[in-house]
């Protein structure tokens, strides 16, 4: 089912400079700086945008950019961001920001149940890109009274940003708007070689038969020779990923999974815990992150390779949502990421063992986990059973 996606999609773009960006203050400082310094164009596409303090701050930066003549395009998901106030949207439009919803509920010509734009990307001037799992909301920011949810993004500078720019144009322009796409493809000066890091842009969009990120995770497990670390806030792998997880562990690969202790979706957390014993019985090491809500989506292999983005290891990301990741094939960067994850494992996580799990959860609680798992599987099925409505 998850077949290859062709030579073009598997090719790495060389000569980039990358930096790992942690969610919270680091991310929003970087985001605001890129918006402030943009000279030509800004594309911001995000699943959740809320007009709270964080959303207002970023919105003001976007409006300031538009007023100084920058072409600003803001695309938010029509379901997850439907609570945006009409007043805030009017302010954006009045300031010159181009705004629209991705597939607004009950108003879209092409409706696919469960297909939402889940990716989070900013591209400034076709030169700087920021791709991750971080939404625009107070929950993802460091505030005085609360730490940010744990999440990550990748800052990329160089030729890969042109590919991200073109991707944003393709998502912004609706099907059939070829003239609009052409008008948005402004001419750029040649992008200098910024570094030595090869990266590739990976997408999942089952409606358009794209399953590149799912393939990246399968390859991660198949190609590993020593270690794999996967961080996922909503970890409910489907049959194919479970198969490769099991095979990797049988080969003696040190497979470590970081999941949330606290979750914003209780039903999903109960369902996830039902899978704990399956993993523990296969010698897959399992850790719960305890400091705040875990929302991050990142994986690394053998200190050589990393993937970062919006993709959760579950069937919604695999078969419904529009997702975006970046794969980084660079041992130096991968070693840095590996060390950060090792520090989180040591300082901020609790190792889950089968004995402690059985002590902590009684038979009734495990029954709740069992029921939650199958209820979530039904929900996943419904959300991936999409249809076209005209």
């Amino acid at each position: 089912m998850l077949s290859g996606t062709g030579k073009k999609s598997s090719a790495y773009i060389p000569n980039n400079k990358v930096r790992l960006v942690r969610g919270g203050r680091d991310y929003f400082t970087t985001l605001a700086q890129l918006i402030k310094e943009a000279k030509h164009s800004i594309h911001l596409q995000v699943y959740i945008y809320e007009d709270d303090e964080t959303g207002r701050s970023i919105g003001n930066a976007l409006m300031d950019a538009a007023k100084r003549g920058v072409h600003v395009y803001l695309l938010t998901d029509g379901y997850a961001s439907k609570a945006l106030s009409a007043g805030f949207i009017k302010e954006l439009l009045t300031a010159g920001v181009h705004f629209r919803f991705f597939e607004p509920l009950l108003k879209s010509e092409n409706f696919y149940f469960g297909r939402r734009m889940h990716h989070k990307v900013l591209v400034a001037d076709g030169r700087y890109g920021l791709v991750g799992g971080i939404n625009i909301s107070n929950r993802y920011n460091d505030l005085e009274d609360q730490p940010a949810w744990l999440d990550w993004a990748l800052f990329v500078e160089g030729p890969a940003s042109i590919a991200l720019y073109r991707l944003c144009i393709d998502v912004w322009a609706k099907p059939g708007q070829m003239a609009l796409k052409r008008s948005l493809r402004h001419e750029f000066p040649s992008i200098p070689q910024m570094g030595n890091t090869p990266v590739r842009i990976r997408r999942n969009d089952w409606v358009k038969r794209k399953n590149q990120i799912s393939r990246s995770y399968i390859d991660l497990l198949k190609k590993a020779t020593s270690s794999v670390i996967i961080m996922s806030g909503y970890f409910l792998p489907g049959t194919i990923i479970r198969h490769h997880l099991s095979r990797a562990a049988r080969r003696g690969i040190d497979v470590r999974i970081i999941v949330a202790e606290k979750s914003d979706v209780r039903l999903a957390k109960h369902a996830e815990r039902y899978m704990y014993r399956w993993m523990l019985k296969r010698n897959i090491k399992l850790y719960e992150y305890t400091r705040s809500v875990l929302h991050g989506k990142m994986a690394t292999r053998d200190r050589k390779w990393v993937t970062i983005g919006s993709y959760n290891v579950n069937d919604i990301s695999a078969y419904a949502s529009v997702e975006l990741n970046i794969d980084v094939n660079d041992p130096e960067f991968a070693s840095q990421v590996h060390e950060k994850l090792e520090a989180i494992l040591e300082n901020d996580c609790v190792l889950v063992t089968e004995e402690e799990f059985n002590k902590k959860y009684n038979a009734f609680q495990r029954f709740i986990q069992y029921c939650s798992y199958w209820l979530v599987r039904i929900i996943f099925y419904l959300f991936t059973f999409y249809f076209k409505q005209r």
Side-chain angles (χ1 to χ4, degrees):
M1 209 169 186
L2 294 176
S3 59
T5 51
K7 292 182 179 180
K8 186 176 179 181
S9 66
S10 63
Y12 284 85
I13 303 169
N15 305 125
N16 299 280
K17 181 179 179 181
V18 299
R19 175 170 69 88
L20 182 66
V21 179
R22 184 161 177 154
R25 188 173 296 108
D26 186 15
Y27 176 80
F28 285 101
T29 299
T30 302
L31 182 66
Q33 192 69 21
L34 289 172
I35 294 170
K36 181 180 179 181
E37 295 179 356
K39 296 178 174 61
H40 175 272
S41 64
I42 295 168
H43 283 267
L44 176 58
Q45 299 182 354
V46 64
Y47 180 59
I48 297 173
Y49 196 119
E50 296 183 350
D51 53 342
D52 52 17
E53 295 91 338
T54 298
R56 285 276 169 179
S57 175
I58 297 302
N60 288 337
L62 293 171
M63 288 187 278
D64 288 344
K67 289 173 183 176
R68 65 175 188 268
V70 178
H71 301 281
V72 181
Y73 299 88
L74 173 58
L75 180 68
T76 68
D77 184 71
Y79 167 73
S81 299
K82 64 182 182 299
L84 274 177
S85 67
F88 180 65
I89 294 172
K90 185 177 179 180
E91 285 181 53
L92 292 169
L93 294 171
T94 301
V97 175
H98 301 275
F99 172 87
R100 78 172 182 86
F101 286 114
F102 177 88
E103 300 289 4
L105 291 181
L106 306 179
K107 295 180 181 179
S108 176
E109 291 181 1
N110 301 299
F111 179 69
Y112 298 90
F113 189 57
R115 182 180 183 248
R116 306 312 319 167
M117 186 197 72
H118 191 244
H119 69 230
K120 297 92 178 171
V121 56
L122 175 116
V123 183
D125 295 336
R127 180 168 180 172
Y128 307 100
L130 197 57
V131 174
I134 304 162
N135 293 298
I136 309 298
S137 165
N138 283 347
R139 288 171 287 177
Y140 305 88
N141 203 357
D142 289 307
L143 304 178
E144 289 186 9
D145 58 340
Q146 68 177 38
W149 290 4
L150 179 61
D151 215 327
W152 306 95
L154 186 78
F155 170 78
V156 57
E157 180 180 0
S161 295
I162 288 289
L164 288 171
Y165 172 82
R166 290 170 179 152
L167 183 154
C168 286
I169 290 173
D170 289 341
V171 176
W172 171 268
K174 296 179 181 180
Q177 294 182 318
M178 292 305 299
L180 177 60
K181 287 185 181 183
R182 284 192 294 269
S183 70
L184 289 174
R185 289 184 184 272
H186 306 287
E187 292 295 326
F188 287 106
S190 60
I191 300 296
Q193 297 183 1
M194 300 308 303
N196 302 313
T197 303
V199 306
R200 64 180 175 182
I201 315 303
R202 303 293 268 176
R203 301 176 67 189
N204 256 50
D205 186 348
W206 194 248
V207 170
K208 295 188 175 181
R209 297 296 183 261
K210 292 185 181 294
N211 48 46
Q212 298 163 0
I213 310 174
S214 298
R215 172 54 59 186
S216 283
Y217 270 88
I218 291 170
D219 288 346
L220 161 86
L221 295 165
K222 289 174 69 174
K223 294 179 179 179
T225 58
S226 60
S227 67
V228 165
I229 303 177
I230 297 174
M231 173 181 281
S232 180
Y234 310 97
F235 188 76
L236 275 168
T239 304
I240 297 172
I241 297 293
R242 289 202 307 271
H243 169 74
H244 288 286
L245 279 167
S246 183
R247 288 191 65 181
R250 285 202 306 270
R251 296 199 324 266
I253 305 301
D254 180 22
V255 180
R256 287 177 284 179
I257 310 294
I258 305 173
V259 297
E261 180 196 45
K262 309 165 189 174
S263 176
D264 60 316
V265 185
R266 283 190 177 185
L267 179 66
K269 186 66 240 183
H270 288 317
E272 191 176 69
R273 286 198 170 108
Y274 173 72
M275 288 198 62
Y276 279 14
R277 280 176 293 175
W278 180 91
M279 289 184 278
L280 294 171
K281 287 177 180 177
R282 286 158 178 80
N283 295 318
I284 297 169
K285 298 187 182 80
L286 189 61
Y287 297 82
E288 287 189 337
Y289 177 78
T290 60
R291 291 197 63 178
S292 64
V293 173
L294 170 62
H295 193 257
K297 312 109 174 30
M298 180 164 63
T300 184
R301 150 177 82 76
D302 300 333
R303 293 178 176 264
K304 295 179 180 178
W305 183 94
V306 176
T307 188
I308 301 169
S310 66
Y311 181 93
N312 290 300
V313 184
N314 61 44
D315 281 351
I316 292 290
S317 282
Y319 300 115
S321 299
V322 180
E323 306 282 2
L324 177 64
N325 269 39
I326 294 186
D327 294 349
V328 184
N329 189 19
D330 180 77
E332 182 178 352
F333 177 76
S335 290
Q336 294 171 7
V337 172
H338 185 97
E339 293 300 328
K340 286 183 183 293
L341 291 176
E342 287 274 14
I344 289 171
L345 283 165
E346 183 176 349
N347 300 318
D348 304 327
C349 293
V350 173
L351 176 66
V352 179
T353 66
E354 191 167 6
E355 181 181 0
E356 290 175 353
F357 179 81
N358 290 332
K359 284 181 181 179
K360 188 172 183 179
Y361 300 102
N362 59 36
F364 177 73
Q365 290 170 314
R366 292 198 294 272
F367 176 71
I368 294 295
Q369 292 164 4
Y370 168 83
C371 294
S372 299
Y373 175 81
W374 285 108
L375 179 56
V376 167
R377 298 300 298 178
I378 293 170
I379 292 171
F380 278 6
Y381 176 78
L382 292 175
F383 269 75
T384 55
F385 184 75
Y386 33 71
F387 57 91
K388 192 169 186 177
Q389 176 180 299
R390 290 195 179 276

